[in-house]
């Protein structure tokens, strides 16, 4: 659900008003015939059985007008325009599925949490808010809901074990607070055709002494960026890297979306480092945030974090187009598809559909891509057992302020749009995969060659190292907005990387202090630790078997390592046997 990826900031409201006042299987069968066909992990008989369950469960709520909201990306547009109408026709529950900017979704959510006024009956919001929802206790625990009040409207065929993202929406209390609706990762993107070219391979080996391939670490990424920058390919000078640097809110998620963890910030742990996470925020044994700065045992301004910012700045200036320094996320996103970039260390898979459009310089005449996705390389501070990248998981959330009958009707819709009946088709439209049964569906095996490694990645054992922001973050909206301002100061040259991260961790701790004083999160809210120096906290971490904050590594240019992409994919397949 990353940041209004494909949307304008204008509100798009889709009202589904033409639903009949009754529900029957005729509408369901028409929907299955016209929209689903063979694109389902269920047989036709199983699809009809699931639709019959929705019809029966929805009877008490027929005629109700339910309002839900999500941000505007392709997956949600499909839900709003197609699935909402189908659900209304089949169940008799009228659904208004509003599409607005992501910031507006969070604003509405915050307003409802603070006022208690029921603005929406359900929200699709990032699982990045899991720590917020758990600590404020404004969102319904879906675990409790499905076992109690919502039991009669919980699909027996929901199959939570089939969802690949529930570990991201489960709080430290072991309860599920959000149901994944769509998800995508940021991964490494590269020009497979250029990397396979004999002349490029020969010249690279001659200059660097090792094979051109998918970089395993940042040292190799840097060499590859240097090699391609200024090189002439097909009559054009090309670039070895792409990124963006404008001081803009989109710069914030460029970093909160796990950039620091890729460098080696934080501790080991899947889906997130503990006790120090990828934002550098540390929690105690009761999951209470105790600090962000190194002085309190955090890692936001530690050596690994500062190294991550320095490399970002260095590569942006040396290896990306000059215009990239003044671009936002949405402006920079299409650039690799224009055919002049060799690799990008940070690419959201939500752009897949845009990168495979016929006629693009990065697409072959037969529709197969000239590029591939691969696991992201890691920095010199990274250790085995750490997360390696970010995965966005837009998830259904129902607040306690929503009346029970409206919550039940909205919960039915949330389950409908994530059901096994519709998920394969929805995933082909939006390419935001949430179910194992969908990922393994034969239709995606057939389509995989045209998706540049997306399906191979999601079928691989590597995918577990990509995860959203974790539960250490006690108030995501308040803390996330601090990042783009601090990073922007570094990007503009107003501050050094160290100064920027010192400022950021101090601002984060101000928020933690306010939450601690207010006491609004009770015994799971922040409780700041005493201050000591880096050596003290590093020794304390090592004593307890942890990593963060790590001491500075004097030589941050480690031995470069690459792997052959085709061999990598084969190893994934072997791991699944």
């Amino acid at each position: 659900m990353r940041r209004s990826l494909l949307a304008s900031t204008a509100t798009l409201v889709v009202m589904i008003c033409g639903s009949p006042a009754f529900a029957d299987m005729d509408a369901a069968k028409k929907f299955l015939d016209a929209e689903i066909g063979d694109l389902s992990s269920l047989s036709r008989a199983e699809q009809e059985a699931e639709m019959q369950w929705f019809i029966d469960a929805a009877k008490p709520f027929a005629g109700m007008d339910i309002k839900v909201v999500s941000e505007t990306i392709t997956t949600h547009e499909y839900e709003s325009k197609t699935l909402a109408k189908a659900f209304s026709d089949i169940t008799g529950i009228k659904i208004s599925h509003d599409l607005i900017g992501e910031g507006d979704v969070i604003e509405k959510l915050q307003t409802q949490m603070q006022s208690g006024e029921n603005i929406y009956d359900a929200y699709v919001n990032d699982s990045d808010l899991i720590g917020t929802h758990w600590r404020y206790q404004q969102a319904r625990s879906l675990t409790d809901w499905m076992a109690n009040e919502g039991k009669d409207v919980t699909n027996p065929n929901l199959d939570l074990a089939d969802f690949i993202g529930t570990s991201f929406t489960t709080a430290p209390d072991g309860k599920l607070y959000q149901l994944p609706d769509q998800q995508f990762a940021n991964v490494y993107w590269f020009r497979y055709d250029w990397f396979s070219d004999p002349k490029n391979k020969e010249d690279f080996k001659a200059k660097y002494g090792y094979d051109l391939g998918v970089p395993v670490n940042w040292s190799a990424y840097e060499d590859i960026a240097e090699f391609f920058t200024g090189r002439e390919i097909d009559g054009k000078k090309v670039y070895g890297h792409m990124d963006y640097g404008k001081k803009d809110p989109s710069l914030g998620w460029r970093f909160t979306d796990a950039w620091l963890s890729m460098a080696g910030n934080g501790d080991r742990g899947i889906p997130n480092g503990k006790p120090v996470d990828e934002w550098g925020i540390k929690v105690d044994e009761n999951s209470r945030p105790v600090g962000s700065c190194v002085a309190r045992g955090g890692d936001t301004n530690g050596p690994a974090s500062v190294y991550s910012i320095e490399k970002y700045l260095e590569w942006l200036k040396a290896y990306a187009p000059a215009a990239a320094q003044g671009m936002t996320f949405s402006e920079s996103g299409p650039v690799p598809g224009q055919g002049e970039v060799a690799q990008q260390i940070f690419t959201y898979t939500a752009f897949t559909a845009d990168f495979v459009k016929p006629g693009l310089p990065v697409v072959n005449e037969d529709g197969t891509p000239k590029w591939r996705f691969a696991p992201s390389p890691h920095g010199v501070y990274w250790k085995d057992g750490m997360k390696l990248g970010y995965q966005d998981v837009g998830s259904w959330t129902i607040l306690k302020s929503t009346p029970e009958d409206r919550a039940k009707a909205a919960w039915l819709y949330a389950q409908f749009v994530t059901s096994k009946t519709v998920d394969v088709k929805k995933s082909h439209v939006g390419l935001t995969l949430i179910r194992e049964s969908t990922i393994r569906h034969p239709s995606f095996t057939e389509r995989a060659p045209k998706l540049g490694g997306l399906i191979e990645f999601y079928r691989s054992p590597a995918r577990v190292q990509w995860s959203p922001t974790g539960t250490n973050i006690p108030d995501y909206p308040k803390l996330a907005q601090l990042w783009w301002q601090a990073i922007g100061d570094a990007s503009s040259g107003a501050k050094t990387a160290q100064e920027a991260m010192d400022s950021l961790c101090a601002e984060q701790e101000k928020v933690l202090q306010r939450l601690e004083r207010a006491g609004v999160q009770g015994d799971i809210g922040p409780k700041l630790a005493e201050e000591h120096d880096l050596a003290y906290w590093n020794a304390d971490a090592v004593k307890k078997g942890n990593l963060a904050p790590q001491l500075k590594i004097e030589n941050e240019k480690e031995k470069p390592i690459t792997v052959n992409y085709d061999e990598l994919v084969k190893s994934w397949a072997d791991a699944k046997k």
Side-chain angles (χ1 to χ4, degrees):
M1 222 174 87
R2 187 51 45 198
R3 330 313 181 194
S4 304
L5 282 173
L6 310 173
S8 68
T9 55
T11 299
L12 173 60
V13 181
V14 179
M15 299 293 290
I16 308 300
C17 300
S19 304
F22 58 89
D24 58 45
M25 276 301 294
D26 287 342
K29 289 176 179 178
K30 288 178 182 177
F31 165 68
L32 296 176
D33 289 339
E35 193 63 30
I36 303 300
D38 295 331
L39 291 181
S40 174
S41 61
L42 301 182
S43 68
R44 176 58 184 247
E46 290 169 332
Q47 294 170 31
E48 291 188 11
E50 187 161 67
M51 293 300 98
Q52 186 63 59
W53 180 85
F54 277 107
I55 291 168
D56 294 340
K59 284 177 181 175
F61 315 103
M64 288 183 69
D65 289 279
I66 298 299
K67 289 186 65 177
V68 303
V69 68
S70 66
E71 72 163 310
T72 313
I73 63 172
T74 302
T75 297
H76 297 317
E77 288 178 337
Y78 178 68
E79 291 168 341
S80 179
K81 295 174 181 177
T82 301
L83 297 183
K85 183 180 187 308
F87 179 79
S88 297
D89 290 344
I90 292 165
T91 66
I93 299 172
K94 299 177 182 179
I95 295 289
S96 299
H97 185 147
D98 292 2
L99 303 177
I100 61 180
E102 187 195 13
D104 296 325
V105 173
I106 300 302
E107 183 181 342
K108 298 289 187 184
L109 184 73
Q110 286 180 294
T111 300
Q112 182 161 338
M113 288 170 63
Q114 292 163 3
S115 69
E117 176 191 356
N118 187 50
I119 301 172
Y120 283 102
D121 301 306
Y123 294 80
V124 181
N125 65 278
D126 279 3
S127 73
D128 296 333
L129 277 83
I130 181 62
T132 308
H133 290 318
W134 174 56
R135 288 186 177 87
Y136 280 114
Q137 289 293 299
Q138 295 282 335
R140 281 179 162 93
S141 156
L142 296 181
T143 299
D144 293 342
W145 168 255
M146 290 184 287
N148 298 292
E149 303 97 320
K151 187 175 183 179
D152 59 331
V153 287
T154 295
N155 183 2
N157 194 41
L158 180 60
D159 193 4
L160 284 175
D162 192 44
F163 286 81
I164 65 172
T166 52
S167 65
F168 312 143
T169 59
T170 300
D173 61 4
K175 295 179 179 180
L176 189 77
Y177 283 82
Q178 300 171 280
L179 182 73
D181 178 271
Q182 51 85 4
Q183 64 189 79
F184 53 86
N186 68 42
V187 291
Y188 174 70
W189 180 97
F190 72 105
R191 285 296 297 270
Y192 178 80
D193 56 338
W194 294 356
F195 279 50
S196 303
D197 178 77
K199 177 63 173 167
N200 290 340
K201 291 167 69 174
E202 180 184 342
D203 290 352
F204 185 88
K205 183 74 174 280
K207 182 172 183 178
Y208 296 99
Y210 63 97
D211 291 332
L212 176 61
V214 173
V216 173
N217 56 20
W218 284 13
S219 290
Y221 183 87
E222 188 171 83
D223 286 349
I224 295 167
E226 179 186 65
F227 174 76
F228 277 106
T229 299
R231 190 172 179 84
E232 188 171 300
I233 297 179
D234 297 330
K236 291 182 179 180
K237 291 283 182 70
V238 302
Y239 299 91
H241 172 65
M242 184 60 202
D243 214 321
Y244 63 101
K246 186 175 182 178
K247 190 173 183 179
D248 170 86
S250 68
L251 194 61
W253 65 74
R254 165 67 180 79
F255 292 88
T256 58
D257 288 1
W259 179 247
L260 276 63
S261 74
M262 293 165 66
N265 176 266
D267 276 308
R268 293 183 179 93
I270 301 295
N272 302 90
K274 287 290 180 74
V276 181
D277 72 354
E278 65 272 18
W279 285 30
I281 290 181
K282 182 178 181 178
V283 295
D284 64 15
E285 61 278 5
N286 297 314
S287 290
R288 302 192 66 163
V290 298
S292 173
C293 297
V294 164
R296 298 188 198 274
D299 205 13
T300 308
N301 63 333
S305 171
V306 173
Y307 157 79
S308 80
I309 306 303
E310 289 174 343
K311 284 299 176 187
Y312 156 74
L313 295 171
E314 180 184 331
W315 296 341
L316 180 64
K317 184 175 182 180
Y319 308 125
Q325 296 182 54
M327 286 183 175
T328 64
F329 170 80
S330 58
E331 291 166 343
S332 68
V335 173
Q338 295 167 7
E340 296 177 13
V341 174
Q343 60 172 358
Q344 182 164 296
I345 195 169
F346 187 97
T347 304
Y348 287 102
T349 60
F351 280 125
T352 305
D354 287 342
F355 286 156
V356 296
K357 288 179 178 176
L360 283 178
V362 296
V363 177
N364 293 309
E365 288 186 10
D366 64 358
T368 57
K370 298 177 181 179
W371 55 267
R372 298 290 188 274
F373 288 132
S376 307
H378 51 68
V380 69
Y381 291 88
W382 189 90
K383 303 290 189 295
D384 284 337
M386 299 177 77
K387 69 182 288 182
L388 192 49
Y390 177 83
Q391 190 152 185
D392 189 287
V393 185
S395 305
W396 286 101
T397 307
I398 302 175
L399 297 181
K400 291 179 178 178
S401 51
T402 298
E404 187 174 300
D405 59 340
R406 302 188 66 81
K408 285 186 173 184
W411 176 235
L412 285 170
Y413 176 66
Q415 293 174 96
F416 180 83
V417 299
T418 59
S419 66
K420 287 184 177 179
T421 292
V422 307
D423 189 63
V424 172
K425 174 59 185 289
K426 186 179 86 168
S427 297
H428 274 289
V429 174
L431 297 176
T432 53
L433 301 153
I434 60 168
R435 283 185 176 271
E436 187 73 29
S437 57
T438 294
I439 294 166
R440 300 284 165 186
H441 194 266
S443 63
F444 275 111
T445 301
E446 182 181 341
R447 192 178 177 189
K450 293 190 175 182
L451 297 178
L454 176 70
I455 303 306
E456 289 85 348
F457 172 78
Y458 269 103
R459 289 178 176 178
S460 81
R463 78 174 186 216
V464 300
Q465 292 179 287
W466 276 253
S467 64
T469 301
T471 58
N472 286 23
I473 310 305
D475 194 318
Y476 183 89
K478 287 188 177 70
L479 290 164
Q481 66 182 340
L482 304 173
W483 284 68
W484 69 272
Q485 298 165 64
I487 303 297
D489 286 339
S491 182
S492 69
K495 291 181 179 178
T496 65
Q498 184 70 65
E499 290 168 343
M501 300 316 278
D502 287 344
S503 172
L504 175 59
C505 79
E507 290 301 313
Q508 291 206 125
E509 288 191 350
K510 287 179 183 178
V511 174
L512 300 182
Q513 285 175 327
R514 288 198 294 270
L515 290 172
E516 181 178 2
R517 290 195 198 103
V520 291
Q521 296 181 338
D523 60 4
I524 52 176
K527 185 176 177 62
L528 293 186
E530 293 181 2
E531 294 187 329
H532 299 281
D533 62 13
L534 171 59
Y536 172 91
W537 285 114
N538 174 258
D540 182 66
V542 171
K543 180 181 177 182
K544 294 174 180 175
N546 300 319
L547 290 170
Q550 295 184 57
L551 301 177
K552 181 174 175 59
I553 296 172
E554 289 308 314
N555 180 16
E556 292 178 335
K557 177 68 173 174
E558 63 182 318
K559 180 182 177 180
I561 303 171
T562 58
V563 294
N564 179 279
Y565 175 78
D566 295 316
E567 293 301 318
L568 175 66
V569 173
K570 285 180 186 175
S571 74
W572 287 346
D574 291 342
K576 282 293 182 180
K577 290 179 180 176

